Amino acid sequence: MRIYIYLLLKSHLCLLILIVITYLIEVITGKLLLVRWFKYKKDLKSAEGTADREAFLYFMFNIVYVIYKAYIKNDISHGFSFIIWLLIITVLSIVVRKLYFKYQGIDPSKPDYGGFLD
C-alpha cells in the first residue's frame, strides 16, 4: 500500500508543477488553457465537456506516469500491480470530474456551446 501512496504523492507533485508552469504561460500569453479556463464562466454543455476532458487528462497523466516509472525507468520495487493502480486512478478520476464540474465557472444563462451550434 505504501508504494501506491508514494506514487500518488509523486505524480500529484509533478502534476502541480505542470499546472504552475501552465498558469505562468497563461499569465504571459493571456490564453485560457487550464487555470483561467477553470474560472471562466461557461455554458452548461461546455462545462460538462470540460469536466470530462480534465478527468480524462488526469487519468491519462497518472497512467503514463506509472508506466514511465514502473516499466521504462524500472524505479518501482516489488509489490506493485498495474491493475490496482488502474482501479485507484479510475476512482480518483471520477472524483476529479465531480469536483471539477461542481467548482468550475458556470453561467446557466449562456446558450449551449456558446451559441455556435444553433
Side-chain angles (χ1 to χ4, degrees):
M1 189 62 172
R2 247 162 96 192
I3 189 76
Y4 300 108
I5 294 171
Y6 172 76
L7 282 172
L8 281 172
L9 290 175
K10 287 287 277 189
S11 71
H12 284 82
L13 178 64
C14 292
L15 193 57
L16 180 64
I17 291 168
L18 182 66
I19 290 172
V20 167
I21 290 170
T22 304
Y23 180 68
L24 291 175
I25 292 170
E26 286 180 0
V27 169
I28 292 169
T29 64
K31 303 280 186 194
L32 301 173
L33 299 174
L34 286 176
V35 179
R36 294 171 104 187
W37 178 250
F38 176 76
K39 296 161 113 183
Y40 176 73
K41 297 284 188 186
K42 297 170 276 303
D43 58 85
L44 193 55
K45 293 284 187 182
S46 295
E48 288 175 1
T50 300
D52 291 339
R53 181 190 71 193
E54 298 304 330
F56 178 74
L57 288 174
Y58 174 81
F59 179 82
M60 290 307 297
F61 176 84
N62 282 294
I63 294 299
V64 169
Y65 179 81
V66 83
I67 288 172
Y68 172 74
K69 290 292 263 183
Y71 302 110
I72 295 174
K73 208 172 171 193
N74 291 327
D75 201 20
I76 298 176
S77 62
H78 301 291
F80 173 76
S81 170
F82 188 75
I83 301 298
I84 293 173
W85 179 256
L86 197 61
L87 290 172
I88 292 169
I89 294 306
T90 301
V91 169
L92 287 177
S93 295
I94 292 168
V95 170
V96 163
R97 191 221 180 273
K98 289 180 185 247
L99 290 174
Y100 194 96
F101 185 73
K102 181 177 181 180
Y103 292 110
Q104 72 178 316
I106 299 175
D107 183 1
S109 65
K110 284 188 174 182
D112 289 341
Y113 303 113
F116 292 119
L117 299 178
D118 289 339

